[in-house]
Structures are given as C-alpha cells and as structure tokens.
Amino acid sequence: MESTQGKLLLASPRLADPNFAQSVVLMIQHNEQGALGLVLNRPLTISVRQACETTLDAPCEADGFLHHGGPCEGPLMVLHGNELAKDADVFPGVFFTTEKSKIESLLKHQTQLARYFVGYSGWSAGQLEAEMELESWVVVEAAPDHVFQDAANLWVSLMRRELLGQWIDPARIPDDPTVN
C-alpha cells in the first residue's frame, strides 16, 4: 500500500472506534513499521499558555488551544511552519517537532503557524492497511490551511468536498446545506 504520510485520513462513518468518530488525522509517518498521525479537529479546553503555566517554568507566547492528537500517550508534539525548528517534514510548509529545546523555542516566539498536541494516533505494522481495506478511512490531500486554520467543521467540509465534489463543483457547495 502507498504511504499516507503527508495526507489526511478522514474517518468514514464505517469506522467503529469512538476515538476517531468524525476525525481528521494528519499522517506524520507511514511505513512498513507502522504509522503515526495527529487528530487535527480535537481541541481541548485548555490553552497552550495555561498548560505551560502549570507544567513549565519557561515563558510562553503561544496562542490557541492544546489539541488531543489521539489515544496514544506521548510527548508534547508540534506541527508548525518554522523550518529551522523541524524534526521532520510532513509536507511542504508543515513541519513536525517533538524535541524539547525546539518546542521551547516555538513557545517563546508567538507564531500563527503552530498547533500543539498531547497524545497521538498510532498504528502497528499492517494495522492501518487493514483498516483501509475495510474502508474505515478516506484519504485526501493535505494543505497548510487544514493544519493551521480553525478545525471546527473540518471533517464535514472535507467529507462534503470529497464525496460530493465528484459530481458538484466544491466551490458551489454551501457550508450550511440548509441554505440550499
């Protein structure tokens, strides 16, 4: 199966796992050893600054809410647009970091292109491929806007575009179908 790294996985209605109901997962890594992704549309109720105040002694200028990246525990992770602070490329313009010193640097310098995650979505070797065969996920191309913009209706808008877009120009599909 082709790697999904740098793409979005949209949870299909067939996916039975409640951890992923209506989720949009950005795939950070996908190879023969397994896969790792971050759920983009699960903001928590705690801001990044509040989390920093309770857990770090370092200054924090980051705005926005902390996000729940998935059901697996892990270190603080950041998707961002600062190439100098990257641990890995996700796709052009979007980078991934888990290294503490780089994250502290990102926290000190306010940037619009950063999203902070606790937890991640992980699959063992062959597990994601088996879910794909069951049509549990819809794979779509990712763009920086998907990562850094408000994700409130991300799943709905991407599913609408992906499923209806083959018959209707996606630009003509209203955000609210009741205005039709």
Side-chain angles (χ1 to χ4, degrees), residues 41-118:
N41 59 336
R42 294 282 193 276
L44 297 170
T45 56
I46 185 170
S47 73
V48 175
R49 280 193 186 150
Q50 289 170 320
C52 287
E53 288 172 3
T54 60
T55 60
L56 298 176
D57 291 330
C60 177
E61 295 298 321
D63 285 328
F65 288 94
L66 201 55
H67 284 74
H68 184 250
C72 302
E73 289 187 34
L76 181 64
M77 294 175 237
V78 186
L79 292 173
H80 57 88
N82 183 344
E83 189 169 11
L84 298 175
K86 72 177 182 178
D87 287 342
D89 295 313
V90 179
F91 61 86
V94 177
F95 310 102
F96 175 71
T97 299
T98 60
E99 186 180 312
K100 184 180 178 186
S101 64
K102 292 177 183 176
I103 291 175
E104 287 173 349
S105 175
L106 289 168
L107 288 168
K108 287 179 190 175
H109 303 86
Q110 182 180 11
T111 175
Q112 297 293 66
L113 299 180
R115 188 165 282 187
Y116 297 82
F117 296 85
V118 292

Side-chain angles (χ1 to χ4, degrees), residues 11-34:
S12 99
R14 296 175 189 227
L15 185 61
D17 187 340
N19 289 307
F20 294 106
Q22 295 190 345
S23 66
V24 178
V25 180
L26 176 62
M27 296 305 296
I28 308 302
Q29 180 181 22
H30 184 191
N31 56 37
E32 63 280 346
Q33 297 167 338

